[in-house]
Amino acid sequence: MVASAGLVRGDRVGEPLESNPRLRMFQVPEMVGRPDPGCWAFQPEVAVGCASFETDSTALVASASSSAHYPPWAYVLPGLASYVPAPTMYAYLARTLMAAIPLCLMVGALLRVRSSNRGAGAAVLLGLTPIAWFSMSIVNPSALAIAGGLALWAAILVAPPPKRRFDLLLLAGWITTLIVRRDGPLWVLLIVSTACLTLSIRPSSFLHRRPTPLNWLFLGAALVPVATASITGLNGTNLLLALAPIGLLALDWAMSRYQFASDKKSKRRQVFGWVLIGVLAILGAVQLSPGTFSPSLWLLVASNTGNHLQQLVGVLGWLDTPVPVVGLFLFWIGLGALAALAFLDDSVIALGATVAVVAMVVAAWVLEVGQGATYGQYWQGRYSMPFFVGIPLLLTSRRGNPSWRSERLDINAQSEALGRLAWPVGVIAWLVMNIGFVGAVHRWAVGIGGTWAPQRWDTWGAPLHPIVLILAHIVASTGLLLSVLRPTEKQITHE
């Protein structure tokens, strides 16, 4: 919030704070960044009500932020909220403006996959774990990154209507995922590569049927991270991340030579080549990272993988609000069901998704080591969500259909078993999002060790009682589930 309010006032980097080089000072309205979370942050047993929720003024004061070095593109809309005349309006308006673009991207993705198969819609709901919803409800660039990743996955895996000249969802997902975070270009590379390799689709096939000006937009967006890195600090790691989409050119060339090869020798050579490229990329990242190579640091980072996987489902707030364990179990049961069905229907899909998750974990290790910290807990699960949010959807895909080789989308290509699995997976997704919400409200109201009787919970400055918030969330999430899983007219005719 502080960095966004400073940005729209023409101050992108702020003034350094002598006592803490990580922090930058900005002249922003006093209400921005309030309340101070110091009394409860990283202390899950302490309720949020310990902070002062008194109304602050709109007068300019010096406020600190550690987010000044991030790409600025996600900060413009929420920053505009800091110009409101009344301080009580600011926080809700800033979060609403932050959520506006992610909401459009999510709706576009859900509409796209719903036209394919109800199982795909349920998979998207499962992929939108509590940490995804939470990130989209606060001022944080991860909100745009996660929604952009979902839009990109949906646009690649499910073809647009046959009469559409260009795919706006694909372009929006591509641009958003690329530019809002420094690691965005890497996730774009992994999303497109995973989908193309698993479904045998060349990356260039997404451009052949589009007008030339639109193709230039794809290229122009790919150059934005390079320009951003040169402005925010062109060190080795940032430059390597910004140039990651170049790997798609190599992938397209390789697939043009080998994707139709039927002999085992050619396929083994292709697999070996990609493994070699991955190893070289890791070695390059290690070489460009600050400091010297430290095996103990790598072991420390790898040992925290379990925490990262937990955070993919949800550890909210200041990493002090874990989703209840039952929510974690339900999520992995739902994902396991999709993986088991994919293995029975098309083992290549299941294998591709498994390799993708492994690649995501290794990428997290490399990115954590590459940023130079030595405490082994810099990386958070939500940083990987732009990629992971599409894994459940990938598990509902089947090679050849839907495909960019087809002239039109064929919903009959999906297995009947996937349609029958839609409701169980959808209900699991509904349970996970509501369990996460109730757990978060409980932690903020009374701390994780407090009573589970909601009538005794504190409102922590919210305008509505927690019981009202929980009931509203249940009603809204139920409406979302029903709208996604309700069969379309085309699906009813098919059935």
Side-chain angles (χ1 to χ4, degrees):
M1 285 182 165
V2 173
S4 65
L7 175 68
V8 297
R9 286 168 174 78
D11 188 359
R12 189 188 64 80
V13 297
E15 296 293 331
L17 184 64
E18 293 183 2
S19 60
N20 188 344
R22 292 183 62 252
L23 298 179
R24 294 277 181 159
M25 302 301 295
F26 294 87
Q27 293 293 322
V28 297
E30 186 180 7
M31 72 235 177
V32 174
R34 301 292 189 270
D36 184 355
C39 68
W40 86 80
F42 306 111
Q43 303 178 75
E45 71 282 354
V46 178
V48 177
C50 67
S52 172
F53 288 87
E54 297 179 0
T55 301
D56 297 298
S57 72
T58 57
L60 296 181
V61 298
S63 297
S65 173
S66 61
S67 305
H69 62 288
Y70 294 164
W73 314 111
Y75 292 153
V76 177
L77 283 180
L80 296 176
S82 62
Y83 286 106
V84 293
T88 54
M89 301 167 56
Y90 165 70
Y92 295 111
L93 180 59
R95 292 181 175 187
T96 300
L97 291 176
M98 187 77 228
I101 296 177
L103 177 63
C104 294
L105 292 170
M106 282 196 301
V107 170
L110 285 168
L111 290 174
R112 174 69 64 85
V113 300
R114 187 173 175 270
S115 67
S116 173
N117 184 278
R118 285 181 293 169
V124 169
L125 293 183
L126 186 67
L128 287 168
T129 60
I131 189 59
W133 291 110
F134 175 78
S135 298
M136 296 177 198
S137 70
I138 62 175
V139 178
N140 193 296
S142 290
L144 279 165
I146 295 170
L150 174 62
L152 187 59
W153 273 112
I156 292 174
L157 296 176
V158 182
K163 295 182 180 180
R164 186 173 298 174
R165 291 187 60 194
F166 63 89
D167 192 346
L168 183 59
L169 184 66
L170 179 66
L171 179 61
W174 172 271
I175 294 176
T176 305
T177 311
L178 270 175
I179 69 174
V180 297
R181 284 182 52 89
R182 287 173 295 177
D183 53 8
L186 176 63
W187 298 128
V188 165
L189 172 63
L190 290 180
I191 290 171
V192 178
S193 298
T194 299
C196 289
L197 288 171
T198 305
L199 301 179
S200 297
I201 305 170
R202 289 179 58 187
S204 60
S205 64
F206 301 122
L207 300 177
H208 286 167
R209 299 180 182 178
R210 286 166 178 75
T212 300
L214 199 65
N215 293 346
W216 284 110
L217 285 177
F218 279 89
L219 176 60
L223 297 177
V224 171
V226 179
T228 303
S230 65
I231 296 173
T232 58
L234 196 61
N235 60 43
T237 303
N238 285 349
L239 179 60
L240 189 64
L241 287 173
L243 295 176
I246 293 178
L248 295 177
L249 299 177
L251 174 63
D252 193 78
W253 174 82
M255 294 190 72
S256 68
R257 292 194 58 184
Y258 300 118
Q259 72 169 338
F260 299 113
S262 58
D263 60 292
K264 294 182 178 179
K265 183 178 180 181
S266 296
K267 291 182 178 180
R268 284 196 299 267
R269 186 166 59 243
Q270 183 179 3
V271 171
F272 174 78
W274 285 111
V275 171
L276 179 62
I277 291 174
V279 171
L280 292 176
I282 293 174
L283 292 176
V286 172
Q287 182 65 30
L288 291 172
S289 63
T292 58
F293 177 75
S294 173
S296 60
L297 176 59
W298 277 89
L299 290 175
L300 178 61
V301 170
S303 67
N304 284 317
T305 299
N307 292 333
H308 297 162
L309 294 178
Q310 179 186 4
Q311 293 164 7
L312 290 171
V313 182
V315 179
L316 316 177
W318 297 79
L319 293 180
D320 61 11
T321 308
V323 170
V325 175
V326 63
L328 297 177
F329 281 128
L330 285 173
F331 171 80
W332 291 108
I333 288 173
L335 190 66
L338 291 177
L341 182 59
F343 180 79
L344 294 175
D345 281 352
D346 191 336
S347 60
V348 173
I349 296 292
L351 178 61
T354 303
V355 173
V357 172
V358 173
M360 177 195 72
V361 170
V362 174
W365 296 348
V366 173
L367 290 172
E368 176 155 5
V369 173
Q371 57 78 44
T374 59
Y375 52 90
Q377 297 182 7
Y378 167 81
W379 191 259
Q380 299 178 30
R382 64 181 170 87
Y383 300 160
S384 302
M385 278 302 296
F387 181 74
F388 187 74
V389 71
I391 295 298
L393 180 59
L394 176 64
L395 289 170
T396 66
S397 303
R398 299 296 179 262
R399 286 179 297 165
N401 288 288
S403 168
W404 293 89
R405 297 175 185 164
S406 304
E407 291 298 325
R408 63 185 180 86
L409 187 63
D410 183 8
I411 65 169
N412 301 337
Q414 300 284 354
S415 69
E416 294 183 5
L418 183 57
R420 292 195 295 268
L421 195 62
W423 274 105
V425 172
V427 170
I428 287 176
W430 180 88
L431 287 171
V432 171
M433 67 176 69
N434 280 285
I435 289 171
F437 186 82
V438 172
V441 173
H442 168 260
R443 179 264 175 273
W444 294 323
V446 292
I448 60 172
T451 177
W452 280 96
Q455 70 274 14
R456 296 167 57 187
W457 290 356
D458 180 30
T459 62
W460 72 87
L464 299 173
H465 193 275
I467 294 179
V468 178
L469 296 176
I470 291 172
L471 291 176
H473 189 274
I474 291 174
V475 171
S477 58
T478 301
L480 177 64
L481 177 68
L482 295 177
S483 65
V484 170
L485 296 188
R486 186 179 69 251
T488 64
E489 182 178 347
K490 187 175 181 180
Q491 290 166 349
I492 294 174
T493 303
H494 168 60
E495 293 174 359

